[in-house]
Amino acid sequence: MRIESSGQVEHVGAVRVHPVRRMLELDSGARVPSRVKESVEPQRIERDVIAGIHQKMAIVLPIKDEDVKVFEGVLSGIPHDCLMIVMSNSRRGEVDNLKREQETLERFCVATKRDAIIVHQKDPRLAEALADCGYGRILDETSLVRSGKAEGMIIGILLAEVLGKDYVGFIDTDNYIPGAVWEYAQHYAVGFSLSQSPYVMARLLWRYKPKISGKLYFKKWGRVSEITNKYVNHFISTKGNFETDIIRTANAGEHAMSLQLAKKLTYATGYGVETQELMSIFEQFSGLGPVADRTIMEKGVDIIQTETINPHVHEEKGEEHLLQDMLVPSLSVIYHNPLCEQATRELITRQLVDLECIPRDGEVPELLILPPPETVDAGRFAGLVDRQLSEYAVPKGAAVRASLPAAVRRAQEAARLVFTDLDGTLLHPVSYSYAAALDSVRALQEANIPIVFCSAKTRAEQQVYRQELGIADPFVIENGAAVVVPKDYFRFSFSYSRTADDCFVIEIGSPYAEVKSKLKELCARPELQITCFGDLTTEEVSKVTGLNLVMAALAKQREYTETVTIEGDKKRVQATLAAIKEVGLGYTFGGKFYEVCLGADKGKAVKILMELFKLNSGDVYTIGIGDSLNDVEMLNAVDLPIIVQTVNKNWNKVNVKNLKRVTGIGPEGWARAASAVLAGSEQKK
Ligand code: GDD
Ligand code: MG
């Protein structure tokens, strides 16, 4: 996608409110070798960045007696990788709308090979579980969950968390345009990718709201959001000396959040929910009231507003609904916010009286505000709903299992950690295939054992394999030149050198340009025959490596080290290597090529990551899997070093203490190593 460049961000304490940015292009093409980072000009967001976020995102679909045909259209617009959580409050009994929704969802999931869950908001077991976990305030006098889209949303947030997701987005099910639904989910991912903070909210503004049933409806509708925006902006303006109109999405039903933020907010019942989310952010994180959380204050909260291209066409629910169900609650949550100034309150009262929403001497009604979802004991909730999940799962019997929230799970279960080399180890030395190890990768993932790539490959190359295998763990690139950690991976802050895509990068080696300039001196010497990958065309790299053209292009996207070939007899090679050292560079031999670096250190990179994992999870037991000399530093740093066989069915000679040799070339050996790791886990239990 491509989005227009950002305007002036407004700061309200630690909250960064981003002005609305228009989406310019729904698809900005396939991956191109990265050029100079686009910063001021329209910004391009890579497909794989969006896809990576979708895999970690749940889309909550609230539904109350909507036309199932429309619902079906909405489902078809949700990107394939997002987990769908349908929260229904539809009529049951003789006319069982829930049943029709279940059948529609089931048909869709079977045909598209997807899993989803559908839950009825009034399921007594759900109410019981919530009460049991200290969230009884969401129940009404009949001891069932109160009616309302907001209540459905909160349960959606809790379920997204126990299903291990990192992001949650909301999409109404009365939307007539599947392409718009698809676009909303793209916007959410774009919003998250633009944020520098794990605490982020993406809110959408519609460019077009076509009139489908008379002028009045849409006129009013526009007025609701206009009025709500006006008073949220008034609220902000009274806090400083500058008037602002930065908020343009105060009622955005279509919005998404990182779960880390979603868990911290308070929620209004009914349709005041979206405005209250904003007010809750200002109340807790603007610094205008008591500081709620120091870490969040440090990282800041991003509110990203984007404008969509597709028109928003949805079911008409009537004018009364707009005023009484939407406007009154939205203004109520601004009015009753403890930080709201008297001046804003007076204006809101006057507005509601003018619109005849409240009597002349009437009070602005106060809504019930529900406490943050983080007050729910997540572990206990997971345990309780786990029993029901198989029933909620679609298709029936789909393996949707509750687990502890991602961060807690990592903390409790990352007692083991696998570092692995790629070329010749996880990837076959000749075919580059990981097929023989695929089942074992899945088994480790199921056991929640992180798989950390530690290879000479570039960040771009490793991203391809991480994505293909669904691996979201940190990784070490270019032979220990840098450690790359996905932004939300660890629950604490640590120092890093820069950010790239949605990752923190800890640099150990010097940048590529420095390595290259030193190599240039050597290339100029006729007695040394060095060929740098950087000087070859993609086709040439493809030819010497056996990589296909796409991977060869990614292999050329070097950020720190240079891959070289050295020609000549043994003596000439030795002389060249000595010359490389003389100019201050280092090198490793990966079996085919030499990797030349300045300060890169696989051992150091592994140790840095081990420290981060220890901080996150307490003591960890580390396993390293490699195949050649350039893995020695990694193998020496771990508790259990394992080596797989080379293409000749033997093991490279490496000097590593307590080394375990497994049979099997590359990925075949890797599978055996993984079995040993898992057997160890069994014993540990
Ligand atoms: N689970 C659940 N429970 N869903 C509900 C309930 C409920 O009690 N009530 C309504 N829904 C579902 C509807 O089926 C629909 O998919 C969605 O929630 C939104 O409800 P609408 O009644 O269609 O709301 P709207 O179109 O007037 O307002 C929408 O847009 C506003 C502005 O963006 C909503 O998303 C508002 O929340 C939003 O402020
Ligand atoms: Mg609607």
Side-chain angles (χ1 to χ4, degrees):
M1 296 186 101
R2 199 181 304 266
I3 189 164
E4 72 177 5
S5 61
S6 179
Q8 193 75 35
V9 173
E10 292 202 12
H11 292 255
V12 188
V15 184
R16 292 180 290 264
V17 189
H18 298 247
V20 173
R21 289 170 76 172
R22 279 199 321 156
M23 200 56 72
L24 299 172
E25 200 181 23
L26 286 175
D27 178 30
S28 56
R31 174 182 266 282
V32 286
S34 70
R35 285 175 274 129
V36 184
K37 188 125 186 116
E38 300 152 289
S39 56
V40 189
E41 286 310 305
Q43 219 166 325
R44 182 170 177 275
I45 294 99
E46 301 274 358
R47 279 182 195 159
D48 57 358
V49 170
I50 294 179
I53 292 174
H54 281 165
Q55 282 167 11
K56 296 190 262 177
M57 183 153 85
I59 299 281
V60 175
L61 299 152
I63 185 161
K64 188 173 183 205
D65 302 318
E66 302 295 351
D67 184 329
V68 282
K69 276 264 173 254
V70 179
F71 173 52
E72 201 167 17
V74 169
L75 296 179
S76 64
I78 308 281
H80 188 92
D81 291 333
C82 300
L83 175 70
M84 298 177 293
I85 301 179
V86 180
M87 286 304 313
S88 175
N89 191 21
S90 298
R91 225 164 53 162
R92 310 210 55 189
E94 256 173 47
V95 183
D96 192 342
N97 285 348
L98 174 71
K99 196 147 177 277
R100 287 195 306 178
E101 291 157 5
Q102 275 167 334
E103 284 166 5
T104 307
L105 184 64
E106 170 112 23
R107 239 190 351 260
F108 176 78
C109 285
V110 168
T112 57
K113 300 193 169 29
R114 296 171 71 157
D115 296 340
I117 60 171
I118 177 162
V119 185
H120 199 276
Q121 205 164 316
K122 299 283 180 189
D123 183 331
R125 291 162 305 178
L126 185 65
E128 226 171 84
L130 287 162
D132 208 332
C133 299
Y135 210 68
R137 288 185 68 190
I138 199 170
L139 308 184
D140 63 12
E141 56 294 342
T142 65
S143 299
L144 294 178
V145 170
R146 221 178 260 107
S147 286
K149 176 189 155 179
E151 285 73 1
M153 284 169 53
I154 297 169
I155 298 166
I157 292 169
L158 292 171
L159 288 173
E161 188 181 24
V162 301
L163 289 165
K165 295 293 163 186
D166 293 336
Y167 302 104
V168 62
F170 306 96
I171 292 183
D172 289 350
T173 50
D174 60 343
N175 194 313
Y176 283 96
I177 317 254
V181 169
W182 180 83
E183 188 189 348
Y184 300 160
Q186 310 298 308
H187 278 245
Y188 296 164
V190 167
F192 296 141
S193 81
L194 293 175
S195 167
Q196 299 287 317
S197 165
Y199 306 97
V200 49
M201 173 179 272
R203 301 176 75 96
L204 306 193
L205 179 74
W206 306 314
R207 191 183 297 182
Y208 303 113
K209 284 164 265 170
K211 307 177 178 201
I212 50 167
S213 62
K215 218 170 174 182
L216 188 63
Y217 171 67
F218 280 98
K219 217 170 131 209
K220 278 283 187 200
W221 165 243
R223 248 164 70 198
V224 170
S225 53
E226 227 171 74
I227 296 171
T228 316
N229 288 337
K230 180 173 149 191
Y231 293 105
V232 175
N233 284 323
H234 195 275
F235 168 91
I236 302 172
S237 302
T238 57
K239 301 296 173 194
N241 294 326
F242 295 90
E243 198 171 17
T244 183
D245 60 355
I246 190 94
I247 295 289
R248 293 185 52 205
T249 55
N251 288 103
E254 264 63 35
H255 67 287
M257 290 179 265
S258 60
L259 265 168
Q260 295 204 50
L261 177 64
K263 286 190 313 190
K264 300 266 171 203
L265 304 187
T266 54
Y267 294 84
T269 56
Y271 290 104
V273 61
E274 290 94 4
T275 312
Q276 170 59 21
E277 284 170 3
L278 276 183
M279 297 310 295
S280 174
I281 291 178
F282 291 128
E283 183 182 336
Q284 298 189 68
F285 312 120
S286 64
L288 297 169
V291 171
D293 188 315
R294 277 189 195 288
T295 335
I296 303 188
M297 297 302 286
E298 249 167 56
K299 302 232 173 198
V301 176
D302 277 313
I303 299 174
I304 312 241
Q305 306 179 91
T306 58
E307 188 187 84
T308 59
I309 294 173
N310 275 281
H312 187 83
V313 184
H314 71 138
E315 191 62 39
E316 180 206 340
K317 306 261 159 83
E319 190 193 333
E320 186 63 14
H321 163 70
L322 287 173
L323 287 183
Q324 284 305 333
D325 298 346
M326 197 88 63
L327 186 64
V328 175
S330 301
L331 296 192
S332 156
V333 296
I334 308 171
Y335 181 100
H336 289 288
N337 188 284
L339 299 181
C340 187
E341 306 278 339
Q342 194 51 33
T344 315
R345 287 194 174 143
E346 279 165 16
L347 288 175
I348 289 176
T349 311
R350 204 173 311 149
Q351 178 81 68
L352 289 174
V353 169
D354 286 350
L355 287 169
E356 295 174 2
C357 292
I358 56 170
R360 193 148 292 278
D361 52 356
E363 296 280 314
V364 178
E366 192 168 357
L367 299 186
L368 176 70
I369 305 284
L370 292 169
E374 72 173 2
T375 56
V376 173
D377 178 340
R380 193 171 168 76
F381 184 68
L384 291 170
V385 292
D386 193 35
R387 274 175 254 147
Q388 260 98 67
L389 275 177
S390 56
E391 216 176 287
Y392 298 153
V394 176
K396 277 266 167 292
V400 184
R401 301 259 349 206
S403 57
L404 290 169
V408 179
R409 202 174 58 230
R410 278 202 285 272
Q412 291 190 352
E413 298 184 15
R416 272 159 195 257
L417 177 57
V418 170
F419 289 93
T420 180
D421 171 48
L422 291 176
D423 289 322
T425 304
L426 180 60
L427 307 178
H428 190 277
V430 180
S431 67
Y432 293 105
S433 162
Y434 51 68
L438 190 57
D439 287 346
S440 310
V441 168
R442 296 286 174 248
L444 290 185
Q445 286 172 325
E446 253 165 51
N448 280 311
I449 299 176
I451 302 172
V452 175
F453 290 171
C454 184
S455 143
K457 285 195 178 303
T458 62
R459 184 162 61 86
E461 286 175 289
Q462 296 200 34
Q463 288 287 25
V464 171
Y465 289 107
R466 291 176 76 246
Q467 212 188 320
E468 280 180 18
L469 291 166
I471 290 177
D473 303 303
F475 53 116
V476 175
I477 60 169
E478 297 193 38
N479 257 331
V483 173
V484 187
V485 183
K487 273 188 190 165
D488 295 348
Y489 198 82
F490 294 118
R491 290 170 302 156
F492 47 83
S493 45
F494 53 89
S495 51
Y496 53 89
S497 323
R498 65 186 179 100
T499 61
D501 294 334
D502 54 351
C503 295
F504 296 122
V505 181
I506 305 169
E507 294 182 332
I508 298 161
S510 303
Y512 178 75
E514 278 179 45
V515 174
K516 201 62 208 291
S517 90
K518 283 185 187 281
L519 271 173
K520 234 181 181 163
E521 294 168 28
L522 299 177
C523 289
R525 286 163 54 179
E527 77 277 16
L528 309 175
Q529 288 189 9
I530 304 176
T531 311
C532 297
F533 269 34
D535 301 331
L536 299 180
T537 63
T538 304
E539 287 74 17
E540 285 166 335
V541 170
S542 163
K543 208 161 163 196
V544 292
T545 57
L547 294 170
N548 65 35
L549 283 175
V550 175
M551 291 308 287
L554 300 181
K556 274 170 62 67
Q557 288 185 18
R558 313 209 67 85
E559 295 170 298
Y560 304 97
T561 60
E562 178 64 307
T563 311
V564 303
T565 51
I566 301 172
E567 318 267 300
D569 57 18
K570 211 169 169 188
K571 218 168 137 201
R572 182 77 78 80
V573 171
Q574 287 310 327
T576 311
L577 293 175
I580 288 177
K581 281 205 159 161
E582 266 165 37
V583 293
L585 295 170
Y587 66 83
T588 49
F589 183 55
K592 279 187 197 162
F593 310 105
Y594 291 89
E595 204 66 47
V596 179
C597 66
L598 191 56
D601 186 337
K602 257 191 179 179
K604 193 168 169 187
V606 168
K607 282 182 192 141
I608 288 174
L609 267 178
M610 276 163 47
E611 283 312 309
L612 290 175
F613 273 100
K614 274 186 191 157
L615 276 174
N616 195 57
S617 329
D619 214 14
V620 285
Y621 182 75
T622 51
I623 298 103
I625 314 177
D627 73 318
S628 74
L629 257 182
N630 80 341
D631 298 316
V632 166
E633 293 164 311
M634 169 189 79
L635 294 173
N636 272 325
V638 297
D639 297 314
L640 173 60
I642 305 179
I643 185 168
V644 299
Q645 286 181 323
T646 67
V647 78
N648 306 320
K649 277 223 141 258
N650 51 28
W651 294 277
N652 269 321
K653 282 199 178 60
V654 294
N655 188 9
V656 174
K657 242 174 122 185
N658 300 325
L659 183 69
K660 184 178 162 80
R661 293 183 177 82
V662 287
T663 39
I665 300 167
E668 260 174 61
W670 203 95
R672 289 216 170 81
S675 306
V677 172
L678 286 165
S681 313
E682 288 307 313
Q683 282 159 21
K684 225 178 145 215
K685 279 182 196 162

